[in-house]
């Protein structure tokens, strides 16, 4: 059961990261950025969400 919860949580974090990166890329394009710049901003948003999720998981693991 625990493995299923971990896998579902991981999938949810990846989906949120993809949504955040898609939103960042779209907003960058609407602001007039070029495609490479928008892609870079989307990649930064994706890695930021994954990094924050990893930091939260590490801190919760340390508390437990």
């Amino acid at each position: 059961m625990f493995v299923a919860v971990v896998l579902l949580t991981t999938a949810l974090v990846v989906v949120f990261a993809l949504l955040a990166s898609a939103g960042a890329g779209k907003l960058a394009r609407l602001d007039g950025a070029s495609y490479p710049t928008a892609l870079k901003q989307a990649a930064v948003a994706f890695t930021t969400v994954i990094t924050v999720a990893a930091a939260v998981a590490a801190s919760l693991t340390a508390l437990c």
Side-chain angles (χ1 to χ4, degrees):
M1 181 70 179
F2 179 72
V3 175
V5 171
V6 169
L7 289 175
L8 286 173
T9 304
T10 303
L12 186 64
V13 166
V14 169
V15 168
F16 281 145
L18 288 172
L19 286 173
S21 66
K26 181 63 177 176
L27 287 175
R29 279 300 291 158
L30 288 176
D31 196 35
S34 64
Y35 282 109
T37 305
L39 184 62
K40 181 183 174 187
Q41 289 181 358
V44 168
F46 180 82
T47 55
T48 302
V49 172
I50 296 296
T51 303
V52 168
V56 168
S59 65
L60 289 176
T61 303
L63 291 176
C64 294

